[in-house]
Amino acid sequence: MAGLAPMKPSGEGTLADMPKDLSAQITELERVFTVDQERLKQITDHFVSELERGLSIEGGTIPMNPTWVMSRPTGHETGTYLALDMGGTNLRVCEVHLPEEKGEFNITQSKYRMPEELKAGQADELWDFTADCVQQFVQSHHEDEQLSKMHMGFTFSYPATQDYVDHGVLQRWTKGFDIDGVEGKDVVPMFEAALARRGLPIKVTALINDTTGTLIASAYTDERTKIGCIFGTGCNAAYLENCGSIPKLAHMKLDPDLPMAINCEYGAFDGEHKVLPRTQHDVTIDRDSPRPGQQTFEKMIAGLYLGEIFRLVLVGLHENSDVGIFEGQSIDKLKKPYSLDSSFLSRIEEDPNENLDETAQLFNQELELQATKPELELCRRLAELVGTRAARLSACGVAAICKKKGIESCRVGADGSVFEKYPQFRQRGAQALREILDWTTEDDPIVLQQSEDGSGVGAAVIAALTLKRIREGNLAGIKDVEGNAAN
């Protein structure tokens, strides 16, 4: 059981005192949810091959999307840029100033809640609302100023096909959006038209994904950064590849030594179910999801699914006549799909009390269940197992990029609610990296650390890098060179 933290001592209700059926059940849960060192290495080796396959002409289960971000920041980028972050709940508008000081930035920002009815509305309604928010922001921060053209980095974190850094065609809506007239179309001209109708002199210089932004923002403030990751509702990574190592771009005859940021979209890893240790509960989640067969890796490690895995196990143990937890009680609330999120598991793992009374209160308040001490102990162990498996599997993607690129030492800029808030996620992931890469040094050579603001600062830095490329005549992957270059 490599990497699993031992259970805290719990007074009278320790494992030795448990009824035999629950003790046996915990042993079985440990068996199915534990990913040992050998399995981690197998997963990582297959991950490397899938990353390479995604870059090939034929492609694979991992998309490995070129982003046309074709330079690494030096930390000396300067200027003032707008950044727009279109999330699932809020719209965030930022003004980012990059001063002369290396790796420094100043940011002013405002958030605007996206109306629920907008998410199922029409394209014009979306772009008009977005442009209105930008106009309101600009007017409040530049009142009575005569504005010259402002360059914007637009973080559009939905699946998009990009042949240029300043354009992108929406493949499909996610995050609960279903807006007519946008899928299959380039989102930049539609948004720029709404800005123009308001007389706003704003040019979308870069359309980016939040993971790419995380990579570039982190590299801007810490030059040791070589990978950007998201561990939140979903999971993803981005890194800089050499153009000569991207066979699917060979027809463009790019300089083979030029860098290209790759948005891996590796939540889709192992869609062919070759190496990931899926349990019956993982299979159920995939089967009942809106897109069965897709995002296999993400469904085992992302915050959206951790609570659901936990819930399915408990429902199964209640319905198993040989175990029968929460016996004689209604589990109607527990039976509701996706009623528990990753924060529920976090609160269980953070319970500092030997008698787990905070966990007992949680079950009582949220699920109207009275849990016995052995049941609480089982729930605590299950939360540890689900959370630890997620952290250990997440390390495989990072290790695979490092192995593919021959990276022996670097910083990994990581963002997302699970990375930030889930107890011991970082430590468990670090332990898995040690096991995969066989480190013997006292200090870890590859360290996951909190990233900078990818969708704000990252978007601004990418806009700056794009304008720099235009000035230098490196125009690959830039569609509107004239519009970006003109004052």
Side-chain angles (χ1 to χ4, degrees):
M1 294 193 297
L4 289 178
M7 291 185 63
K8 292 183 179 180
S10 308
E12 294 299 313
T14 59
L15 280 173
D17 300 322
M18 279 194 178
K20 187 177 180 182
D21 54 344
L22 289 196
S23 180
Q25 201 57 47
I26 286 178
T27 300
E28 175 60 14
L29 291 172
E30 289 174 340
R31 185 188 69 79
V32 298
F33 280 103
T34 297
V35 188
D36 64 18
Q37 182 181 23
E38 182 181 358
R39 191 62 173 269
L40 287 173
K41 289 185 173 185
Q42 289 173 355
I43 293 167
T44 301
D45 288 344
H46 186 58
F47 221 128
V48 173
S49 67
E50 285 299 291
L51 294 175
E52 290 172 345
R53 194 156 70 105
L55 294 172
S56 70
I57 296 171
E58 298 78 16
T61 57
I62 303 177
M64 301 295 282
N65 296 324
T67 64
W68 303 99
V69 176
M70 299 183 67
S71 51
R72 171 187 289 278
T74 63
H76 292 291
E77 290 73 21
T78 58
T80 299
Y81 307 88
L82 291 176
L84 175 66
D85 178 12
M86 183 182 285
T89 306
N90 296 309
L91 197 70
R92 184 168 64 115
V93 185
C94 314
E95 184 172 272
V96 181
H97 178 63
L98 308 177
E100 295 291 336
E101 294 81 10
K102 183 179 180 181
E104 296 294 321
F105 62 86
N106 300 303
I107 185 167
T108 305
Q109 58 187 323
S110 296
K111 283 186 178 180
Y112 306 87
R113 188 163 189 86
M114 300 191 75
E116 283 301 315
E117 59 271 21
L118 195 71
K119 297 180 182 181
Q122 301 298 313
D124 285 349
E125 295 170 343
L126 170 69
W127 302 121
D128 283 339
F129 172 80
T130 305
D132 283 342
C133 292
V134 174
Q135 183 176 39
Q136 185 179 329
F137 177 86
V138 170
Q139 287 175 345
S140 65
H141 294 287
H142 295 277
E143 192 174 1
D144 300 327
E145 289 183 38
Q146 186 63 40
L147 292 177
S148 57
K149 181 159 66 175
M150 300 186 75
H151 293 273
M152 172 182 279
F154 182 4
T155 301
F156 185 74
S157 295
Y158 301 87
T161 302
Q162 279 191 269
D163 293 323
Y164 306 94
V165 71
D166 52 344
H167 285 260
V169 175
L170 176 67
Q171 295 170 357
R172 65 181 185 278
W173 283 116
T174 57
K175 303 179 186 177
F177 279 68
D178 189 18
I179 299 172
D180 283 343
V182 186
E183 291 185 342
K185 295 184 179 177
D186 189 340
V187 300
V188 172
M190 290 188 282
F191 176 44
E192 286 188 333
L195 293 171
R197 287 194 293 271
R198 287 154 181 79
L200 293 170
I202 295 171
K203 176 66 186 169
V204 177
T205 301
L207 184 77
I208 72 162
N209 172 278
D210 57 352
T211 315
T212 309
T214 294
L215 166 66
I216 298 300
S218 298
Y220 172 76
T221 57
D222 186 341
E223 60 192 13
R224 298 171 297 177
T225 303
K226 295 184 179 177
I227 301 171
C229 288
I230 301 288
F231 303 115
T233 306
C235 69
N236 196 13
Y239 73 101
L240 286 164
E241 186 57 89
N242 301 321
C243 286
S245 299
I246 310 174
K248 63 185 176 183
L249 295 183
H251 64 284
M252 297 194 67
K253 297 181 170 52
L254 300 168
D255 180 341
D257 294 325
L258 272 179
M260 172 76 78
I262 297 293
N263 168 28
C264 299
E265 294 291 354
Y266 70 21
F269 170 63
D270 201 32
E272 294 155 343
H273 308 317
K274 290 183 177 179
V275 293
L276 288 174
R278 296 203 306 162
T279 67
Q280 67 187 77
H281 311 293
D282 299 305
V283 173
T284 298
I285 283 176
D286 182 46
R287 183 194 67 211
D288 296 342
S289 70
R291 290 185 167 88
Q294 297 182 22
Q295 302 299 99
T296 299
F297 186 55
E298 185 169 277
K299 287 169 182 172
M300 296 178 73
I301 73 169
L304 180 61
Y305 303 101
L306 300 186
E308 183 65 0
I309 295 167
F310 180 85
R311 187 192 71 82
L312 286 170
V313 173
L314 293 187
V315 170
L317 291 176
H318 174 80
E319 294 176 347
N320 183 339
S321 58
D322 293 332
V323 183
I325 62 171
F326 313 132
E327 193 171 4
Q329 301 181 68
S330 168
I331 64 161
D332 286 351
K333 287 199 169 185
L334 186 63
K335 279 189 170 181
K336 183 181 177 184
Y338 293 92
S339 54
L340 306 181
D341 60 19
S342 59
S343 68
F344 192 91
L345 277 68
S346 296
R347 290 164 71 184
I348 294 173
E349 287 216 52
E350 288 172 335
D351 188 345
N353 303 308
E354 290 189 3
N355 61 2
L356 298 177
D357 62 342
E358 290 184 10
T359 304
Q361 290 174 27
L362 184 64
F363 272 81
N364 191 10
Q365 292 167 2
E366 302 288 332
L367 300 170
E368 296 180 3
L369 290 170
Q370 302 289 335
T372 65
K373 184 63 183 303
E375 290 167 352
L376 292 172
E377 293 280 11
L378 180 144
C379 292
R380 169 60 170 252
R381 188 65 182 131
L382 176 59
E384 289 177 349
L385 288 165
V386 172
T388 298
R389 186 186 73 160
R392 288 173 67 78
L393 288 177
S394 72
C396 295
V398 175
I401 293 172
C402 291
K403 289 187 77 168
K404 183 193 181 306
K405 293 295 296 175
I407 297 170
E408 295 183 356
S409 175
C410 77
R411 294 294 181 267
V412 178
D415 202 1
S417 56
V418 174
F419 182 78
E420 288 180 42
K421 298 175 182 177
Y422 198 94
Q424 299 187 64
F425 186 87
R426 298 187 202 195
Q427 296 90 324
R428 291 163 174 170
Q431 174 59 34
L433 278 176
R434 289 182 208 114
E435 294 174 35
I436 297 166
L437 300 172
D438 293 316
W439 294 333
T440 55
T441 55
E442 186 173 328
D443 296 323
D444 292 351
I446 297 168
V447 177
L448 275 71
Q449 61 187 24
Q450 182 63 50
S451 75
E452 290 298 343
D453 173 9
S455 54
V457 176
V461 173
I462 290 171
L465 292 172
T466 303
L467 293 175
K468 183 182 178 185
R469 282 212 291 129
I470 291 173
R471 291 193 298 270
E472 294 174 347
N474 177 9
L475 307 180
I478 302 173
K479 186 171 186 178
D480 191 1
V481 174
E482 188 175 326
N484 272 299
N487 290 324

